[in-house]
Amino acid sequence: EALGRLRGEHDFEYVVIGQGEYRDVLARCAIEAGIADRVHFKGALGQDEVATIMRECHLAVLASHGTFETTAIFIREAMATGLPAIMSDIGDAQSMIRDGIEGYVTPQRDVAALSERIKRCLADRQALQQMSIAAHRKARAEYSSAIGPERLLSHVTSRMAE
């Protein structure tokens, strides 16, 4: 729905990776929003294929809701690839993304806010590039295996305590 609001204003493509229970729902939403020709469902892919697709993208979006997704591994992987991210305020979103720095955090189920943040990123390529650099730096500093097991364990433990 959020992307449907941008249909007449911006040229974009949306890639969905994975094969889950929501695939048919997302396909139906794309048709209803008039953007089915811009949404590409890739299904389940191997790690190398996912990395290749991520390198071709400009932005990662995770519009989850509820409490089932406490740590957004996808967003961490995207940031490590240099993708700024827009994600719902789930799990540890607020600690992963500083608003306007590595991307944006939007309230769950707030279609207008999600659409506005995507629009902002599509409209300002220079800001998007700066967020890309910041996202990559943060991923390397906080989520890389190079940070050492003690620091990683400390980071995970502190997030679990919150």
Side-chain angles (χ1 to χ4, degrees):
E1 188 179 340
L3 291 173
R5 293 177 181 211
L6 305 176
R7 183 180 59 222
E9 299 177 47
H10 296 280
D11 185 28
F12 63 87
E13 291 185 40
Y14 187 69
V15 178
V16 180
I17 299 173
Q19 187 66 38
E21 61 186 273
Y22 293 107
R23 192 236 182 258
D24 292 339
V25 172
L26 292 173
R28 192 170 44 256
C29 287
I31 291 167
E32 290 171 3
I35 58 169
D37 60 325
R38 298 176 184 207
V39 179
H40 308 282
F41 293 92
K42 298 296 185 178
L45 300 175
Q47 192 172 11
D48 291 341
E49 294 168 301
V50 172
T52 297
I53 289 172
M54 282 186 168
R55 284 191 296 272
E56 295 171 358
C57 294
H58 300 285
L59 183 64
V61 177
L62 182 64
S64 295
H65 55 84
T67 58
F68 65 93
E69 195 159 11
T70 57
T71 302
I73 300 299
F74 161 70
I75 294 297
R76 289 182 179 174
E77 291 170 342
M79 290 171 68
T81 307
L83 288 176
I86 299 174
M87 70 180 291
S88 300
D89 192 4
I90 57 167
D92 59 351
Q94 296 290 335
S95 67
M96 291 176 66
I97 298 173
R98 294 171 295 172
D99 221 38
I101 307 295
E102 294 93 11
Y104 297 101
V105 176
T106 63
Q108 292 184 36
R109 299 181 189 260
D110 189 337
V111 175
L114 179 60
S115 182
E116 176 56 37
R117 295 310 187 277
I118 294 170
K119 180 179 179 178
R120 190 179 298 176
C121 289
L122 294 174
D124 189 345
R125 295 294 182 166
Q126 185 174 2
L128 188 65
Q129 179 64 29
Q130 292 302 313
M131 284 190 279
S132 176
I133 292 166
H136 187 253
R137 281 186 184 143
K138 183 164 187 168
R140 287 182 53 95
E142 294 188 22
Y143 309 131
S144 168
S145 60
I147 66 173
E150 294 83 15
R151 184 168 168 211
L152 181 61
L153 181 59
S154 172
H155 178 76
V156 170
T157 305
S158 70
R159 294 294 171 244
M160 290 175 65
E162 292 177 356

